Amino acid sequence: MSVTIALETPRQDGVLRLLDMSDAYAQSLYPPESNHLVDVSTLEKPTVSFFVARNEGAIVGCCALVEAGDGTGEIKRMFVDPDARGLKVASKLIDALETTAAEKKLQAVRLETGIYQPEAIALYRKYGYGEIEAFGSYLPDPLSLFMEKRLP
């Protein structure tokens, strides 16, 4: 089994299925005011690099790098199909996203995740992301954790 990562359009059935699964998961953990999900049309903007992970051709994961316009980018819509967990899909997505961020000469990559997602938090910490205050248009939220990694 080989997992591949490529820049692709988010508007395809396999990705839409993952986004629906991601929405349902987030909604099961957090109230609406603590869910900061972006829709497909936002993911199609020119300031977004959208990554799709495939395993033997099947879409198994996705994430987006959204350029903020201030020299930073934000990870949005990171999700891996539960059936594909253990294949290092999330790690491969982060590697691709950070490579693209460096190529775009971004100074930092930021993210917001929820406090009830210990696996995601552990993954981001493993990759060198540290906690920061709310950024951009986010307001402080006791259910949110904001993180950043400065790039070389």
Side-chain angles (χ1 to χ4, degrees):
M1 290 189 271
S2 64
V3 174
T4 59
I5 309 296
L7 289 168
E8 296 188 31
T9 178
R11 199 173 294 275
Q12 51 184 311
D13 290 342
V15 171
L16 297 175
R17 179 184 67 84
L18 287 180
L19 295 178
D20 286 345
M21 291 170 70
S22 172
D23 290 350
Y25 180 62
Q27 291 163 2
S28 76
L29 295 174
Y30 307 103
E33 64 274 11
S34 293
N35 274 319
H36 306 286
L37 306 171
V38 294
D39 61 14
V40 177
S41 61
T42 299
L43 298 172
E44 293 175 312
K45 291 185 176 179
T47 55
V48 176
S49 301
F50 193 81
F51 301 87
V52 174
R54 292 178 179 268
N55 184 40
E56 298 181 355
I59 294 175
V60 296
C62 62
C63 72
L65 173 65
V66 179
E67 294 177 63
D70 63 358
T72 68
E74 181 181 0
I75 298 174
K76 295 295 285 184
R77 300 312 299 248
M78 168 77 80
F79 191 77
V80 174
D81 186 322
D83 292 338
R85 299 215 171 125
L87 298 176
K88 307 285 185 200
V89 173
S91 292
K92 291 177 187 216
L93 284 165
I94 288 178
D95 287 340
L97 182 142
E98 289 182 354
T99 297
T100 297
E103 288 168 355
K104 291 178 175 287
K105 304 210 182 314
L106 298 179
Q107 296 147 4
V109 175
R110 296 174 175 163
L111 63 97
E112 178 275 337
T113 192
I115 63 169
Y116 301 133
Q117 294 167 265
E119 298 87 356
I121 295 166
L123 175 76
Y124 295 128
R125 284 190 174 136
K126 173 184 164 189
Y127 272 82
Y129 289 78
E131 293 181 34
I132 60 171
E133 297 295 319
F135 63 91
S137 62
Y138 291 107
L139 298 174
D141 183 337
L143 300 179
S144 287
L145 183 65
F146 303 97
M147 304 180 87
E148 176 183 82
K149 179 178 181 177
R150 304 296 296 175
L151 300 178

